[in-house]
């Protein structure tokens, strides 16, 4: 597992990736060519991945994100050290905060 700020990146075995995700086109990259995992609402900084691959977001506000890195990549952020990732599939989890009666995504 890998963690950078409020983002957790968990390796996923190839056979555990849902079949519809394998053929789903990835999200568009940002203007810097990065796959954005989480955008800081306060600072505008982003937890993002560089390198070849694709990010697939499932529908819904809490839908999972799956990241495929066929050659590996790096998680970057303006305020954190870069984290190298090996090739493979990963589930991206945003930290959530519990409030009585509600759950919200943590804003950075």
């Amino acid at each position: 597992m890998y963690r950078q700020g409020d983002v957790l990146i968990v390796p996923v075995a190839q056979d555990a990736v849902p079949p519809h995700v394998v053929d789903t086109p990835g999200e568009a990259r940002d203007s810097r060519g990065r796959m954005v995992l989480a955008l800081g609402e306060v600072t505008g900084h982003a937890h993002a991945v560089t390198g070849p691959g694709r990010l697939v977001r499932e529908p819904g506000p809490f839908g999972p994100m799956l990241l495929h890195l066929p050659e590996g990549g790096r998680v970057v952020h303006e305020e954190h050290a870069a984290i190298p990732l090996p090739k493979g599939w990963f589930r991206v989890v945003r930290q959530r905060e519990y409030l009585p009666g509600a759950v919200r995504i943590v804003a950075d």
Side-chain angles (χ1 to χ4, degrees):
M1 284 193 285
Y2 307 87
R3 178 177 293 282
Q4 188 184 69
D6 57 347
V7 175
L8 177 67
I9 301 167
V10 182
V12 175
Q14 172 74 39
D15 60 351
V17 176
H20 73 277
V21 170
V22 174
D23 298 322
T24 301
E27 292 280 308
R29 291 176 179 248
D30 72 358
S31 62
R32 294 167 59 183
R34 307 173 305 170
M35 294 175 278
V36 176
L37 307 178
L39 185 61
E41 294 84 1
V42 176
T43 63
H45 296 159
H47 296 280
V49 175
T50 60
R54 62 194 171 91
L55 178 66
V56 178
R57 293 178 197 259
E58 294 284 71
F62 298 111
M65 292 185 283
L66 289 165
L67 175 66
H68 182 227
L69 300 174
E71 300 174 17
R74 287 174 16 119
V75 183
V76 296
H77 186 279
E78 291 83 348
E79 297 173 338
H80 300 282
I83 300 172
L85 296 174
K87 67 181 180 178
W89 282 93
F90 302 88
R91 182 164 191 255
V92 179
V93 181
R94 291 286 308 273
Q95 182 176 337
R96 293 180 176 94
E97 180 176 48
Y98 172 76
L99 301 169
V103 174
R104 75 176 184 96
I105 300 258
V106 174
D108 119 33

